Amino acid sequence: ILNVEQSPQSLHVQEGDSTNFTCSFPSSNFYALHWYRWEAAKSPEALFVMTLNGDEKKKGRISATLNTKEGYSYLYIKGSQPEDSATYLCALWASGTYKYIFGTGTRLKVLA
Amino acid sequence: DSGVTQTPKHLITATGQRVTLRCSPRSGDLSVYWYQQSLDQGLQFLIQYYNGEERAKGNILERFSAQQFPDLHSELNLSSLELGDSALYFCASSPQGGLGTEAFFGQGTRLTVV
């Protein structure tokens, strides 16, 4: 059974705060990792595609890092804004299979 | 709009019944995935198809089955429905072989079993 774990489950921050979440996965099963943003009443949309150990990706105020050897990825949001409120999902492409497994997500609420 | 279309958007049915959920992938995408999201749960991987063939299977119940047709649309069949099957069912697609590529999600079908 492949477990992709995310922490924390939920998070409330004040507007302007910076925050980060963690995605943990079995390092032996790594092929690729993706981060998604899932807004209420919408469907998940991909933020980052990460494939190499040490990868760092950035899109505006949001960035992500990847450590495949220890099996984790961090997502950072700098200067959180109310429009950043969403559930952030990570998804693991497991090597040796075609299974695409999602974590349970981190629900972020940014308070104005 | 992701380009992935799911129908119907909402479905209400009784226990013991059978329903079919339909998914049309993005134009050109060969891989289709099905996920189930129950209340307060994450996206549970059910099954993946590539170009008409089953490629990976997750926690899909025996009462559930799926297929991908030659025109690449996919259907998820849920039978002998139970109250616990009430959930949001998502379909996603990705290009070509899919491995390592991001998925594009439909808007989901909300199934309510009463």
Side-chain angles (χ1 to χ4, degrees), chain A residues 8-14 17-21 37-38 61-62 75-77 80-88 105-111:
Chain A
Q9 278 191 327
S10 66
L11 194 55
H12 288 184
V13 301
Q14 292 293 324
D17 286 351
S18 294
T19 187
N20 65 85
F21 335 125
R37 173 190 162 88
W38 191 2
R61 294 178 292 98
I62 304 177
L75 187 79
Y76 301 91
I77 302 180
S80 303
Q81 298 297 308
E83 57 265 31
D84 296 328
S85 297
T87 296
Y88 291 84
T106 292
R107 192 175 301 173
L108 173 68
K109 176 77 173 174
V110 182
L111 306 170

Coordinates of all heavy atoms in Angstrom, one line a residue, chain A residues 8-14 17-21 37-38 61-62 75-77 80-88 105-111:
Chain A
P8 N 0.3 20.1 7.7 CA -0.8 19.7 8.6 C -2.1 19.4 7.7 O -2.1 19.7 6.5 CB -1.1 20.9 9.4 CG -0.6 22.1 8.6 CD 0.5 21.5 7.7
Q9 N -3.1 18.9 8.4 CA -4.4 18.7 7.7 C -5.1 20.0 7.3 O -5.7 20.1 6.2 CB -5.4 17.9 8.5 CG -5.1 16.4 8.5 CD -6.2 15.6 9.1 OE1 -6.9 16.1 10.1 NE2 -6.5 14.4 8.7
S10 N -5.0 20.9 8.2 CA -5.6 22.3 7.9 C -4.8 23.3 8.6 O -4.0 23.1 9.6 CB -7.0 22.3 8.4 OG -7.1 22.2 9.8
L11 N -4.9 24.5 8.2 CA -4.1 25.6 8.6 C -4.8 26.9 8.4 O -5.4 27.2 7.3 CB -2.8 25.6 7.7 CG -1.6 26.4 8.1 CD1 -1.1 26.1 9.5 CD2 -0.5 26.1 7.1
H12 N -4.9 27.8 9.4 CA -5.4 29.1 9.3 C -4.2 30.1 9.5 O -3.5 30.0 10.5 CB -6.5 29.4 10.4 CG -7.7 28.6 10.1 ND1 -8.9 28.8 10.9 CD2 -8.1 27.7 9.2 CE1 -9.8 28.0 10.4 NE2 -9.4 27.4 9.4
V13 N -4.1 31.0 8.6 CA -3.0 32.0 8.8 C -3.6 33.4 8.5 O -4.7 33.5 7.9 CB -1.8 31.7 7.8 CG1 -1.2 30.4 8.1 CG2 -2.2 31.9 6.3
Q14 N -2.9 34.4 8.9 CA -3.3 35.8 8.7 C -2.8 36.2 7.4 O -1.7 35.8 6.9 CB -2.8 36.7 9.8 CG -3.4 36.5 11.2 CD -4.9 36.8 11.2 OE1 -5.3 37.8 10.5 NE2 -5.7 36.1 11.9
D17 N 1.1 36.5 6.2 CA 2.0 35.5 6.8 C 2.5 34.6 5.7 O 1.9 34.3 4.7 CB 1.2 34.6 7.8 CG 0.9 35.3 9.1 OD1 1.5 36.5 9.3 OD2 0.2 34.8 9.9
S18 N 3.7 34.0 5.9 CA 4.2 33.0 5.1 C 4.0 31.6 5.7 O 3.9 31.5 7.0 CB 5.7 33.2 4.8 OG 5.9 34.4 4.1
T19 N 3.8 30.6 4.9 CA 3.5 29.3 5.5 C 4.1 28.2 4.6 O 4.5 28.5 3.5 CB 1.9 29.2 5.6 OG1 1.6 27.9 6.3 CG2 1.3 29.1 4.2
N20 N 4.1 27.0 5.1 CA 4.6 25.9 4.3 C 3.9 24.6 4.8 O 3.5 24.5 6.0 CB 6.1 25.8 4.4 CG 6.6 25.4 5.8 OD1 6.6 24.3 6.2 ND2 7.0 26.4 6.6
F21 N 3.8 23.7 3.9 CA 3.2 22.4 4.2 C 4.2 21.3 3.7 O 5.0 21.5 2.9 CB 1.9 22.2 3.4 CG 1.1 23.4 3.0 CD1 0.7 23.6 1.7 CD2 0.7 24.3 4.0 CE1 0.0 24.7 1.4 CE2 0.0 25.4 3.6 CZ -0.3 25.6 2.3
R37 N -3.5 22.6 -6.6 CA -4.3 23.5 -5.8 C -5.8 23.2 -6.1 O -6.2 23.1 -7.3 CB -4.0 25.0 -6.3 CG -4.8 26.1 -5.7 CD -4.5 27.3 -6.5 NE -5.5 28.3 -6.3 CZ -5.5 29.2 -5.3 NH1 -4.5 29.2 -4.4 NH2 -6.4 30.1 -5.2
W38 N -6.6 23.1 -5.1 CA -8.0 22.7 -5.2 C -8.9 23.7 -4.5 O -9.0 23.7 -3.3 CB -8.2 21.3 -4.7 CG -9.5 20.7 -5.0 CD1 -10.5 21.2 -5.8 CD2 -9.9 19.4 -4.6 NE1 -11.5 20.3 -5.8 CE2 -11.2 19.2 -5.1 CE3 -9.4 18.4 -3.8 CZ2 -11.9 18.0 -4.9 CZ3 -10.1 17.2 -3.5 CH2 -11.4 17.1 -4.1
R61 N 4.2 33.8 -5.7 CA 4.6 33.7 -4.3 C 4.6 32.2 -3.8 O 4.9 32.0 -2.6 CB 3.5 34.5 -3.5 CG 3.5 36.0 -3.8 CD 2.4 36.7 -3.0 NE 1.1 36.3 -3.5 CZ 0.3 35.4 -2.9 NH1 0.7 34.8 -1.9 NH2 -0.9 35.2 -3.4
I62 N 4.4 31.3 -4.7 CA 4.3 29.9 -4.3 C 5.6 29.2 -4.8 O 5.9 29.4 -6.0 CB 3.1 29.2 -4.8 CG1 1.8 30.0 -4.3 CG2 3.0 27.8 -4.3 CD1 0.5 29.4 -4.8
L75 N 5.9 22.7 0.2 CA 5.2 23.8 -0.6 C 5.2 25.0 0.3 O 4.8 25.0 1.5 CB 3.8 23.4 -0.9 CG 3.1 24.4 -1.9 CD1 3.6 24.2 -3.3 CD2 1.6 24.3 -1.8
Y76 N 5.7 26.1 -0.2 CA 5.8 27.4 0.5 C 4.9 28.4 -0.1 O 4.9 28.5 -1.3 CB 7.3 27.9 0.5 CG 8.3 27.0 1.1 CD1 9.0 26.2 0.2 CD2 8.7 27.1 2.4 CE1 10.0 25.3 0.7 CE2 9.7 26.3 2.9 CZ 10.3 25.4 2.1 OH 11.3 24.6 2.5
I77 N 4.3 29.2 0.7 CA 3.5 30.4 0.2 C 4.0 31.6 1.0 O 4.0 31.6 2.2 CB 2.0 30.2 0.4 CG1 1.5 29.0 -0.3 CG2 1.3 31.5 -0.2 CD1 0.0 28.7 -0.2
S80 N 0.9 35.2 2.3 CA -0.4 34.6 2.0 C -1.5 35.7 1.8 O -1.5 36.7 2.5 CB -0.8 33.7 3.1 OG 0.1 32.7 3.3
Q81 N -2.3 35.4 0.8 CA -3.4 36.3 0.5 C -4.7 35.5 0.6 O -4.7 34.3 0.4 CB -3.3 36.9 -0.9 CG -2.1 37.7 -1.1 CD -2.1 39.0 -0.3 OE1 -3.1 39.7 -0.3 NE2 -1.0 39.2 0.5
P82 N -5.9 36.2 0.9 CA -7.1 35.4 1.0 C -7.4 34.5 -0.2 O -8.0 33.4 -0.1 CB -8.2 36.5 1.1 CG -7.5 37.6 1.8 CD -6.0 37.6 1.2
E83 N -7.0 35.0 -1.4 CA -7.2 34.2 -2.6 C -6.4 32.9 -2.7 O -6.6 32.0 -3.5 CB -7.0 35.0 -3.9 CG -5.6 35.6 -4.0 CD -5.6 37.0 -3.5 OE1 -6.3 37.4 -2.6 OE2 -4.8 37.8 -4.1
D84 N -5.4 32.7 -1.7 CA -4.6 31.5 -1.6 C -5.4 30.4 -0.9 O -5.0 29.3 -0.9 CB -3.3 31.8 -0.9 CG -2.4 32.7 -1.7 OD1 -2.4 32.7 -2.9 OD2 -1.6 33.4 -1.0
S85 N -6.5 30.8 -0.3 CA -7.3 29.8 0.4 C -7.8 28.7 -0.5 O -8.4 29.0 -1.5 CB -8.5 30.5 1.1 OG -8.1 31.5 2.0
A86 N -7.4 27.5 -0.2 CA -7.7 26.3 -1.0 C -7.2 25.1 -0.3 O -6.5 25.2 0.8 CB -7.0 26.4 -2.4
T87 N -7.4 23.9 -0.9 CA -6.8 22.7 -0.4 C -5.6 22.4 -1.4 O -5.7 22.5 -2.6 CB -7.7 21.5 -0.4 OG1 -8.8 21.8 0.5 CG2 -7.0 20.2 0.0
Y88 N -4.4 22.2 -0.8 CA -3.2 21.9 -1.6 C -2.9 20.4 -1.5 O -2.8 19.8 -0.4 CB -2.1 22.7 -1.1 CG -2.3 24.2 -1.4 CD1 -3.1 25.0 -0.5 CD2 -1.8 24.8 -2.6 CE1 -3.3 26.3 -0.8 CE2 -2.1 26.1 -2.9 CZ -2.8 26.9 -2.0 OH -3.1 28.2 -2.3
G105 N -4.3 16.0 1.5 CA -4.3 17.5 1.3 C -4.1 18.3 2.6 O -4.3 17.8 3.7
T106 N -3.8 19.5 2.4 CA -3.7 20.5 3.5 C -4.7 21.6 3.1 O -4.6 22.2 2.0 CB -2.3 21.1 3.6 OG1 -1.4 20.1 4.1 CG2 -2.3 22.3 4.6
R107 N -5.6 21.9 4.0 CA -6.7 22.9 3.7 C -6.2 24.2 4.3 O -6.0 24.3 5.6 CB -8.0 22.4 4.4 CG -9.2 23.3 4.0 CD -10.4 22.7 4.5 NE -10.7 21.3 4.1 CZ -11.6 20.5 4.6 NH1 -12.4 21.0 5.5 NH2 -11.7 19.3 4.1
L108 N -5.9 25.2 3.5 CA -5.4 26.5 3.9 C -6.5 27.5 3.9 O -7.2 27.6 2.9 CB -4.3 26.9 3.0 CG -3.8 28.3 3.3 CD1 -3.1 28.4 4.6 CD2 -2.8 28.8 2.2
K109 N -6.6 28.3 5.0 CA -7.6 29.4 5.1 C -6.8 30.6 5.4 O -6.1 30.6 6.5 CB -8.6 29.1 6.1 CG -9.6 30.3 6.3 CD -10.6 30.3 5.3 CE -11.7 31.4 5.6 NZ -12.6 31.6 4.5
V110 N -6.8 31.6 4.6 CA -6.1 32.8 4.8 C -7.1 33.9 5.3 O -8.0 34.2 4.5 CB -5.3 33.3 3.6 CG1 -4.5 34.6 3.9 CG2 -4.4 32.2 3.1
L111 N -6.9 34.4 6.5 CA -7.8 35.3 7.1 C -7.4 36.8 6.7 O -6.2 37.1 6.9 CB -7.9 35.1 8.6 CG -8.2 33.7 9.0 CD1 -8.0 33.5 10.5 CD2 -9.6 33.3 8.6

